[in-house]
Amino acid sequence: MAGFIGLGRVARYSDDLILFGMPSDLLQPVTLKGEYVELVPLSMEHREGLMRAVEDGEVWQLWYTSVPSPAGMEAEIERRLGLWRAGSMLPFAVIEPGTGDVVGMTTYMNVDVGNRRVEIGSTWYAARVRRTALNTEAKLLLLGHAFDGLSCIAVEFRTHFMNYASRRAIERLGAKLDGILRSHAVMADGTLRDTCVYSVIAPEWQTVRAHLRWELTRVRES
């Protein structure tokens, strides 16, 4: 049965990714639970765990990312919660079930309630869980909740043109490149960002879901 943790609904997914709960508001906080990852509503209680996680790999030092430093973590949590209150973001903390450690952040962002569209983005992980089943299952849970629970018509992914690792990871999910927004944004260091825009649309979800499940099966059998 569905339950409640804090302010958010709990969505537990079986092997068939059946959502238990009321699929209504795209901005309703929800906890998504899987075998390798739990995505829980972000709160200031996650600050210290996130500070430890971001130190693993020091990804904030990559010039083409927008990852908070340990010193900037509190402000970043406040920024994300502010965007949730403003109606454009649903932020999550990423939890490793086996250890209970906070290992990253992710969001539904640029939420378009009227057109039932969201972007999965502002994601980062501690180095030790990158390129593992945790990320694959996190995307499976987020896509599943968006399409099966919230009846979205499309889910976007965006990344810096120069972030080749991120682009490859998005493409491995089965998302397709919609295009490149040239000189789309000014980065903190003053450089201009070309943004690669990818998406999965509702008719593609069944195929993408099958692919992600297969990827997780490979992990279990290895």
Side-chain angles (χ1 to χ4, degrees):
M1 294 179 62
F4 289 81
I5 292 181
L7 297 176
R9 292 178 290 121
V10 179
R12 293 186 178 89
Y13 289 79
S14 71
D15 289 340
D16 293 322
L17 279 179
I18 298 173
L19 175 68
F20 295 89
M22 295 292 289
S24 53
D25 187 359
L26 274 70
L27 292 164
Q28 173 67 37
V30 61
T31 294
L32 305 178
K33 291 191 174 186
E35 180 179 355
Y36 301 102
V37 68
E38 294 183 10
L39 305 176
V40 305
L42 179 67
S43 75
M44 196 55 70
E45 294 178 358
H46 298 119
R47 180 177 63 88
E48 290 187 7
L50 288 167
M51 289 173 66
R52 289 191 295 269
V54 81
E55 289 175 342
D56 180 7
E58 299 186 348
V59 69
W60 77 87
Q61 297 197 42
L62 295 175
W63 70 271
Y64 50 77
T65 67
S66 299
V67 176
S69 67
M73 192 61 66
E74 182 172 345
E76 178 62 10
I77 294 171
E78 285 287 4
R79 185 187 75 85
R80 295 187 185 211
L81 293 176
L83 289 173
W84 171 65
R85 289 188 289 268
S88 67
M89 178 180 282
L90 184 59
F92 297 90
V94 181
I95 309 295
E96 185 179 43
T99 63
D101 291 344
V102 185
V103 293
M105 307 170 88
T106 192
T107 75
Y108 289 141
M109 56 188 289
N110 295 322
V111 174
D112 185 343
V113 174
N115 289 304
R116 312 301 295 178
R117 297 177 65 98
V118 298
E119 176 188 343
I120 296 173
S122 293
T123 302
W124 62 266
Y125 300 115
R128 67 180 180 82
V129 299
R130 292 178 210 152
R131 295 180 292 279
T132 69
L134 181 146
N135 179 52
T136 302
E137 189 174 53
K139 295 302 190 292
L140 180 60
L141 292 172
L142 288 165
L143 286 163
H145 184 55
F147 287 119
D148 299 332
L150 300 172
S151 301
C152 287
I153 63 172
V155 176
E156 286 187 5
F157 300 87
R158 298 187 176 203
T159 192
H160 197 299
F161 180 85
M162 294 294 184
N163 194 342
Y164 298 114
S166 177
R167 289 168 61 184
R168 288 193 296 269
I170 293 169
E171 290 167 2
R172 282 197 299 269
L173 297 174
K176 294 181 173 63
L177 180 65
D178 295 326
I180 301 172
L181 303 176
R182 305 291 302 279
S183 294
H184 179 232
V186 180
M187 301 292 288
D189 64 359
T191 59
L192 296 178
R193 165 175 158 152
D194 290 346
T195 298
C196 295
V197 182
Y198 295 83
S199 68
V200 176
I201 59 175
E204 299 169 341
W205 167 229
Q206 184 176 1
T207 299
V208 171
R209 178 175 55 193
H211 170 65
L212 294 176
R213 287 176 176 170
W214 176 74
E215 291 283 1
L216 289 174
T217 298
R218 292 174 63 198
V219 172
R220 295 187 187 102
E221 293 178 350
S222 62

